[in-house]
Amino acid sequence: MTELPLALIIEDNPAQSEIFTKAVQMAGFEVEAILDGQVALERLAVTIPQIVVLDLHLPHVSGDKILAQIQRDKRLSKTRIILATADPRMADPLREYSDLVLIKPVSFGQLKSLAERLHPTTDGT
């Protein structure tokens, strides 16, 4: 049995997290949903996801701090980052540190299509 690549959904809105989770699962990933920034940092310290869908406004540790930690961690150098936020002003300075920036609302189909493009079997990695 082939192991699926891992995706972390780091989103504190449970309904949005569920939509993101289902879309990324349908794109061929094993998905872990995380609702809290501190929990996300703890998980990132012990795993190497293929992609991270990251909200910027999170409890305990903000998404920009999580993004900075991902950038500093050499183990995560190939992790693809999708920022998903309703705050374009906060996202603009972070564009160069992520692979994609999505301004909410993000549709199920849009995220599924983007995740499929980042899947290791389709992007050549």
Side-chain angles (χ1 to χ4, degrees):
M1 185 170 175
T2 309
E3 196 171 305
L4 296 176
L6 177 64
L8 297 183
I9 307 297
I10 307 171
E11 166 64 59
D12 65 324
N13 178 301
Q16 188 75 62
S17 178
E18 184 175 341
I19 291 167
F20 288 177
T21 295
K22 288 183 192 265
V24 174
Q25 282 174 331
M26 288 189 70
F29 289 86
E30 175 186 342
V31 177
E32 291 182 30
I34 301 171
L35 303 172
D36 178 279
Q38 182 60 45
V39 174
L41 283 179
E42 293 166 6
R43 190 66 183 121
L44 285 164
V46 297
T47 191
I48 302 174
Q50 175 75 23
I51 65 170
V52 171
V53 178
L54 179 62
D55 185 19
L56 294 178
H57 295 286
L58 297 163
H60 301 110
V61 178
S62 65
D64 60 328
K65 289 186 174 42
I66 293 169
L67 181 59
Q69 180 60 37
I70 292 169
Q71 296 296 314
R72 286 190 298 269
D73 189 335
K74 300 280 188 231
R75 296 174 314 108
L76 303 176
S77 65
K78 294 187 181 195
T79 297
R80 310 295 290 274
I81 308 299
I82 301 173
L83 295 182
T85 184
D87 189 345
R89 289 176 298 140
M90 189 173 177
D92 279 342
L94 302 175
R95 284 182 187 276
E96 68 181 281
Y97 304 107
S98 63
D99 294 285
L100 297 164
V101 175
L102 303 176
I103 304 303
K104 294 177 185 174
V106 177
S107 75
F108 178 92
Q110 179 185 27
L111 185 58
K112 178 181 176 282
S113 175
L114 293 170
E116 285 171 344
R117 290 192 344 220
L118 296 176
H119 196 284
T121 61
T122 58
D123 75 353
T125 59

mmCIF file of all heavy atoms in Angstrom, residues 43-73:
data_model
loop_
_atom_site.group_PDB
_atom_site.id
_atom_site.type_symbol
_atom_site.label_atom_id
_atom_site.label_comp_id
_atom_site.label_asym_id
_atom_site.label_seq_id
_atom_site.Cartn_x
_atom_site.Cartn_y
_atom_site.Cartn_z
ATOM 1 N N ARG A 43 3.600 20.178 16.162
ATOM 2 C CA ARG A 43 3.482 19.132 15.145
ATOM 3 C C ARG A 43 4.559 19.285 14.070
ATOM 4 O O ARG A 43 5.144 18.312 13.607
ATOM 5 C CB ARG A 43 2.072 19.178 14.531
ATOM 6 C CG ARG A 43 1.774 18.013 13.648
ATOM 7 C CD ARG A 43 1.727 16.716 14.433
ATOM 8 N NE ARG A 43 1.504 15.606 13.537
ATOM 9 C CZ ARG A 43 2.332 14.572 13.392
ATOM 10 N NH1 ARG A 43 3.422 14.482 14.115
ATOM 11 N NH2 ARG A 43 2.053 13.619 12.538
ATOM 12 N N LEU A 44 4.823 20.532 13.671
ATOM 13 C CA LEU A 44 5.840 20.782 12.657
ATOM 14 C C LEU A 44 7.245 20.420 13.144
ATOM 15 O O LEU A 44 8.130 20.145 12.339
ATOM 16 C CB LEU A 44 5.801 22.245 12.213
ATOM 17 C CG LEU A 44 4.639 22.598 11.290
ATOM 18 C CD1 LEU A 44 4.441 24.095 11.228
ATOM 19 C CD2 LEU A 44 4.872 22.019 9.904
ATOM 20 N N ALA A 45 7.441 20.387 14.446
ATOM 21 C CA ALA A 45 8.748 20.022 15.007
ATOM 22 C C ALA A 45 9.045 18.533 14.845
ATOM 23 O O ALA A 45 10.210 18.126 14.914
ATOM 24 C CB ALA A 45 8.819 20.417 16.482
ATOM 25 N N VAL A 46 8.012 17.723 14.602
ATOM 26 C CA VAL A 46 8.209 16.272 14.554
ATOM 27 C C VAL A 46 7.743 15.620 13.251
ATOM 28 O O VAL A 46 7.778 14.404 13.133
ATOM 29 C CB VAL A 46 7.526 15.567 15.756
ATOM 30 C CG1 VAL A 46 8.156 16.027 17.060
ATOM 31 C CG2 VAL A 46 6.023 15.806 15.761
ATOM 32 N N THR A 47 7.311 16.406 12.292
ATOM 33 C CA THR A 47 6.840 15.842 11.029
ATOM 34 C C THR A 47 7.284 16.717 9.865
ATOM 35 O O THR A 47 7.661 17.875 10.066
ATOM 36 C CB THR A 47 5.307 15.683 11.031
ATOM 37 O OG1 THR A 47 4.927 14.901 9.908
ATOM 38 C CG2 THR A 47 4.590 17.005 10.994
ATOM 39 N N ILE A 48 7.241 16.156 8.672
ATOM 40 C CA ILE A 48 7.593 16.906 7.470
ATOM 41 C C ILE A 48 6.447 16.778 6.473
ATOM 42 O O ILE A 48 6.371 15.811 5.714
ATOM 43 C CB ILE A 48 8.909 16.390 6.852
ATOM 44 C CG1 ILE A 48 10.039 16.481 7.870
ATOM 45 C CG2 ILE A 48 9.238 17.194 5.581
ATOM 46 C CD1 ILE A 48 11.333 15.855 7.408
ATOM 47 N N PRO A 49 5.527 17.736 6.477
ATOM 48 C CA PRO A 49 4.413 17.662 5.522
ATOM 49 C C PRO A 49 4.851 18.078 4.123
ATOM 50 O O PRO A 49 5.800 18.855 3.955
ATOM 51 C CB PRO A 49 3.410 18.675 6.093
ATOM 52 C CG PRO A 49 4.244 19.643 6.867
ATOM 53 C CD PRO A 49 5.427 18.871 7.383
ATOM 54 N N GLN A 50 4.154 17.557 3.141
ATOM 55 C CA GLN A 50 4.373 17.969 1.751
ATOM 56 C C GLN A 50 3.820 19.379 1.532
ATOM 57 O O GLN A 50 4.446 20.194 0.865
ATOM 58 C CB GLN A 50 3.686 16.983 0.799
ATOM 59 C CG GLN A 50 3.749 17.361 -0.659
ATOM 60 C CD GLN A 50 5.096 17.139 -1.285
ATOM 61 O OE1 GLN A 50 5.877 16.334 -0.803
ATOM 62 N NE2 GLN A 50 5.400 17.850 -2.350
ATOM 63 N N ILE A 51 2.622 19.627 2.087
ATOM 64 C CA ILE A 51 2.054 20.975 2.001
ATOM 65 C C ILE A 51 1.471 21.375 3.351
ATOM 66 O O ILE A 51 1.089 20.537 4.167
ATOM 67 C CB ILE A 51 0.970 21.127 0.902
ATOM 68 C CG1 ILE A 51 -0.264 20.278 1.188
ATOM 69 C CG2 ILE A 51 1.528 20.832 -0.467
ATOM 70 C CD1 ILE A 51 -1.427 20.587 0.252
ATOM 71 N N VAL A 52 1.408 22.701 3.541
ATOM 72 C CA VAL A 52 0.750 23.293 4.707
ATOM 73 C C VAL A 52 -0.211 24.346 4.178
ATOM 74 O O VAL A 52 0.197 25.229 3.409
ATOM 75 C CB VAL A 52 1.769 23.940 5.671
ATOM 76 C CG1 VAL A 52 1.060 24.733 6.759
ATOM 77 C CG2 VAL A 52 2.689 22.892 6.281
ATOM 78 N N VAL A 53 -1.472 24.232 4.564
ATOM 79 C CA VAL A 53 -2.450 25.282 4.298
ATOM 80 C C VAL A 53 -2.545 26.070 5.600
ATOM 81 O O VAL A 53 -2.940 25.527 6.633
ATOM 82 C CB VAL A 53 -3.823 24.710 3.889
ATOM 83 C CG1 VAL A 53 -4.823 25.837 3.659
ATOM 84 C CG2 VAL A 53 -3.690 23.839 2.643
ATOM 85 N N LEU A 54 -2.146 27.332 5.561
ATOM 86 C CA LEU A 54 -1.917 28.115 6.778
ATOM 87 C C LEU A 54 -2.758 29.378 6.821
ATOM 88 O O LEU A 54 -2.634 30.248 5.954
ATOM 89 C CB LEU A 54 -0.423 28.475 6.840
ATOM 90 C CG LEU A 54 0.070 29.308 8.005
ATOM 91 C CD1 LEU A 54 -0.145 28.581 9.337
ATOM 92 C CD2 LEU A 54 1.549 29.638 7.823
ATOM 93 N N ASP A 55 -3.593 29.470 7.849
ATOM 94 C CA ASP A 55 -4.309 30.699 8.154
ATOM 95 C C ASP A 55 -3.331 31.621 8.879
ATOM 96 O O ASP A 55 -2.375 31.149 9.515
ATOM 97 C CB ASP A 55 -5.510 30.370 9.045
ATOM 98 C CG ASP A 55 -6.401 31.563 9.340
ATOM 99 O OD1 ASP A 55 -6.336 32.576 8.608
ATOM 100 O OD2 ASP A 55 -7.173 31.497 10.311
ATOM 101 N N LEU A 56 -3.543 32.917 8.815
ATOM 102 C CA LEU A 56 -2.637 33.836 9.502
ATOM 103 C C LEU A 56 -3.129 34.225 10.887
ATOM 104 O O LEU A 56 -2.323 34.486 11.774
ATOM 105 C CB LEU A 56 -2.410 35.087 8.644
ATOM 106 C CG LEU A 56 -1.660 34.821 7.339
ATOM 107 C CD1 LEU A 56 -1.528 36.104 6.530
ATOM 108 C CD2 LEU A 56 -0.298 34.212 7.612
ATOM 109 N N HIS A 57 -4.438 34.274 11.082
ATOM 110 C CA HIS A 57 -5.003 34.647 12.385
ATOM 111 C C HIS A 57 -5.361 33.377 13.143
ATOM 112 O O HIS A 57 -6.392 32.761 12.886
ATOM 113 C CB HIS A 57 -6.242 35.532 12.207
ATOM 114 C CG HIS A 57 -5.923 36.855 11.594
ATOM 115 N ND1 HIS A 57 -5.286 37.859 12.284
ATOM 116 C CD2 HIS A 57 -6.120 37.330 10.343
ATOM 117 C CE1 HIS A 57 -5.120 38.907 11.499
ATOM 118 N NE2 HIS A 57 -5.622 38.604 10.308
ATOM 119 N N LEU A 58 -4.474 32.978 14.074
ATOM 120 C CA LEU A 58 -4.644 31.743 14.837
ATOM 121 C C LEU A 58 -4.515 32.030 16.331
ATOM 122 O O LEU A 58 -3.816 32.970 16.712
ATOM 123 C CB LEU A 58 -3.566 30.724 14.449
ATOM 124 C CG LEU A 58 -3.573 30.233 13.011
ATOM 125 C CD1 LEU A 58 -2.245 29.574 12.671
ATOM 126 C CD2 LEU A 58 -4.721 29.258 12.812
ATOM 127 N N PRO A 59 -5.127 31.201 17.172
ATOM 128 C CA PRO A 59 -4.922 31.369 18.606
ATOM 129 C C PRO A 59 -3.514 30.930 19.016
ATOM 130 O O PRO A 59 -2.942 30.021 18.423
ATOM 131 C CB PRO A 59 -5.985 30.466 19.239
ATOM 132 C CG PRO A 59 -6.427 29.538 18.170
ATOM 133 C CD PRO A 59 -6.108 30.173 16.858
ATOM 134 N N HIS A 60 -2.958 31.596 19.995
ATOM 135 C CA HIS A 60 -1.692 31.302 20.674
ATOM 136 C C HIS A 60 -0.446 31.642 19.878
ATOM 137 O O HIS A 60 0.460 32.249 20.408
ATOM 138 C CB HIS A 60 -1.643 29.859 21.197
ATOM 139 C CG HIS A 60 -2.753 29.581 22.150
ATOM 140 N ND1 HIS A 60 -3.784 28.747 21.824
ATOM 141 C CD2 HIS A 60 -3.013 30.046 23.384
ATOM 142 C CE1 HIS A 60 -4.645 28.710 22.822
ATOM 143 N NE2 HIS A 60 -4.199 29.500 23.788
ATOM 144 N N VAL A 61 -0.339 31.250 18.635
ATOM 145 C CA VAL A 61 0.799 31.612 17.784
ATOM 146 C C VAL A 61 0.238 31.961 16.409
ATOM 147 O O VAL A 61 -0.482 31.161 15.808
ATOM 148 C CB VAL A 61 1.826 30.454 17.663
ATOM 149 C CG1 VAL A 61 2.967 30.843 16.729
ATOM 150 C CG2 VAL A 61 2.373 30.050 19.034
ATOM 151 N N SER A 62 0.561 33.149 15.909
ATOM 152 C CA SER A 62 -0.003 33.587 14.629
ATOM 153 C C SER A 62 0.642 32.863 13.451
ATOM 154 O O SER A 62 1.747 32.323 13.542
ATOM 155 C CB SER A 62 0.187 35.101 14.475
ATOM 156 O OG SER A 62 1.570 35.401 14.404
ATOM 157 N N GLY A 63 -0.071 32.872 12.338
ATOM 158 C CA GLY A 63 0.401 32.198 11.140
ATOM 159 C C GLY A 63 1.708 32.747 10.608
ATOM 160 O O GLY A 63 2.536 32.000 10.085
ATOM 161 N N ASP A 64 1.952 34.067 10.738
ATOM 162 C CA ASP A 64 3.217 34.613 10.252
ATOM 163 C C ASP A 64 4.401 34.093 11.059
ATOM 164 O O ASP A 64 5.479 33.844 10.512
ATOM 165 C CB ASP A 64 3.200 36.140 10.190
ATOM 166 C CG ASP A 64 2.955 36.810 11.525
ATOM 167 O OD1 ASP A 64 2.227 36.255 12.373
ATOM 168 O OD2 ASP A 64 3.488 37.924 11.726
ATOM 169 N N LYS A 65 4.201 33.845 12.346
ATOM 170 C CA LYS A 65 5.274 33.266 13.172
ATOM 171 C C LYS A 65 5.500 31.788 12.802
ATOM 172 O O LYS A 65 6.634 31.313 12.785
ATOM 173 C CB LYS A 65 4.946 33.417 14.647
ATOM 174 C CG LYS A 65 5.054 34.860 15.120
ATOM 175 C CD LYS A 65 4.867 34.973 16.601
ATOM 176 C CE LYS A 65 5.104 36.352 17.143
ATOM 177 N NZ LYS A 65 4.612 37.471 16.427
ATOM 178 N N ILE A 66 4.422 31.082 12.495
ATOM 179 C CA ILE A 66 4.552 29.690 12.044
ATOM 180 C C ILE A 66 5.295 29.657 10.710
ATOM 181 O O ILE A 66 6.206 28.840 10.514
ATOM 182 C CB ILE A 66 3.170 29.015 11.936
ATOM 183 C CG1 ILE A 66 2.565 28.882 13.332
ATOM 184 C CG2 ILE A 66 3.272 27.662 11.237
ATOM 185 C CD1 ILE A 66 1.111 28.491 13.341
ATOM 186 N N LEU A 67 4.949 30.548 9.806
ATOM 187 C CA LEU A 67 5.622 30.627 8.510
ATOM 188 C C LEU A 67 7.114 30.896 8.699
ATOM 189 O O LEU A 67 7.958 30.261 8.055
ATOM 190 C CB LEU A 67 4.980 31.700 7.639
ATOM 191 C CG LEU A 67 5.562 31.887 6.246
ATOM 192 C CD1 LEU A 67 5.479 30.610 5.423
ATOM 193 C CD2 LEU A 67 4.852 33.035 5.543
ATOM 194 N N ALA A 68 7.456 31.809 9.596
ATOM 195 C CA ALA A 68 8.871 32.107 9.862
ATOM 196 C C ALA A 68 9.599 30.878 10.400
ATOM 197 O O ALA A 68 10.743 30.599 10.010
ATOM 198 C CB ALA A 68 8.990 33.273 10.847
ATOM 199 N N GLN A 69 8.947 30.112 11.258
ATOM 200 C CA GLN A 69 9.557 28.900 11.792
ATOM 201 C C GLN A 69 9.769 27.858 10.693
ATOM 202 O O GLN A 69 10.802 27.201 10.633
ATOM 203 C CB GLN A 69 8.715 28.317 12.927
ATOM 204 C CG GLN A 69 9.277 27.044 13.537
ATOM 205 C CD GLN A 69 10.666 27.241 14.124
ATOM 206 O OE1 GLN A 69 10.971 28.274 14.692
ATOM 207 N NE2 GLN A 69 11.515 26.234 13.973
ATOM 208 N N ILE A 70 8.806 27.721 9.815
ATOM 209 C CA ILE A 70 8.952 26.797 8.689
ATOM 210 C C ILE A 70 10.159 27.209 7.841
ATOM 211 O O ILE A 70 10.957 26.372 7.429
ATOM 212 C CB ILE A 70 7.662 26.744 7.840
ATOM 213 C CG1 ILE A 70 6.530 26.079 8.628
ATOM 214 C CG2 ILE A 70 7.905 26.022 6.519
ATOM 215 C CD1 ILE A 70 5.156 26.205 7.979
ATOM 216 N N GLN A 71 10.304 28.506 7.586
ATOM 217 C CA GLN A 71 11.416 28.998 6.779
ATOM 218 C C GLN A 71 12.773 28.710 7.431
ATOM 219 O O GLN A 71 13.756 28.441 6.735
ATOM 220 C CB GLN A 71 11.281 30.514 6.542
ATOM 221 C CG GLN A 71 10.070 30.907 5.739
ATOM 222 C CD GLN A 71 10.105 30.368 4.333
ATOM 223 O OE1 GLN A 71 11.121 30.455 3.661
ATOM 224 N NE2 GLN A 71 8.999 29.808 3.877
ATOM 225 N N ARG A 72 12.839 28.756 8.760
ATOM 226 C CA ARG A 72 14.102 28.517 9.481
ATOM 227 C C ARG A 72 14.460 27.037 9.587
ATOM 228 O O ARG A 72 15.622 26.705 9.793
ATOM 229 C CB ARG A 72 14.023 29.095 10.895
ATOM 230 C CG ARG A 72 14.101 30.600 10.951
ATOM 231 C CD ARG A 72 14.260 31.093 12.371
ATOM 232 N NE ARG A 72 13.147 30.761 13.230
ATOM 233 C CZ ARG A 72 12.078 31.529 13.434
ATOM 234 N NH1 ARG A 72 11.973 32.683 12.828
ATOM 235 N NH2 ARG A 72 11.121 31.141 14.247
ATOM 236 N N ASP A 73 13.472 26.156 9.468
ATOM 237 C CA ASP A 73 13.689 24.728 9.688
ATOM 238 C C ASP A 73 14.117 24.057 8.374
ATOM 239 O O ASP A 73 13.313 23.875 7.468
ATOM 240 C CB ASP A 73 12.408 24.093 10.228
ATOM 241 C CG ASP A 73 12.586 22.669 10.702
ATOM 242 O OD1 ASP A 73 13.510 21.970 10.221
ATOM 243 O OD2 ASP A 73 11.791 22.240 11.563
#
